[in-house]
Amino acid sequence: MKAKIHPDYHEITVVMTDGTEYTTRSTWGKPGDVMRLDIDPLSHPAWTGGPAKVMEKGRLAKFGNKYAGLGVAAAETANAGAKK
């Protein structure tokens, strides 16, 4: 390997949103720096609320509401009404 082309890999402290800390190795910052997280698995809806909460508020819910009348279920309902 070439000398002096790789970033320094050193220990830093990571502080989670609930205040817990752990030490890891990283190329971020300087040795001994503290990384404070704004979002982590304890606070992000993808991990805390599961897929239901993410789908309720996001683009997927908007898409589902916009195109709710299209698809197999809507076509079967329309055909059932036409047969009567």
Side-chain angles (χ1 to χ4, degrees):
M1 290 194 317
K2 291 184 179 180
K4 299 184 181 182
I5 64 166
H6 299 286
D8 180 34
Y9 193 61
H10 50 270
E11 286 191 356
I12 63 166
T13 303
V14 178
V15 180
M16 307 286 272
T17 56
D18 67 345
T20 58
E21 298 180 3
Y22 67 92
T23 302
T24 188
R25 294 179 53 90
S26 175
T27 58
W28 178 85
K30 298 176 183 155
D33 277 356
V34 177
M35 178 186 286
R36 297 187 187 282
L37 301 179
D38 295 331
I39 298 174
D40 63 10
L42 301 173
S43 64
H44 194 279
W47 288 284
T48 59
K53 281 190 176 179
V54 173
M55 288 172 37
E56 288 172 9
K57 297 179 183 177
R59 291 179 176 260
L60 191 57
K62 187 176 180 181
F63 179 85
N65 292 337
K66 184 175 182 179
Y67 297 106
L70 301 175
V72 177
E76 289 175 357
T77 306
N79 289 338
K83 290 179 182 179
K84 288 184 180 181

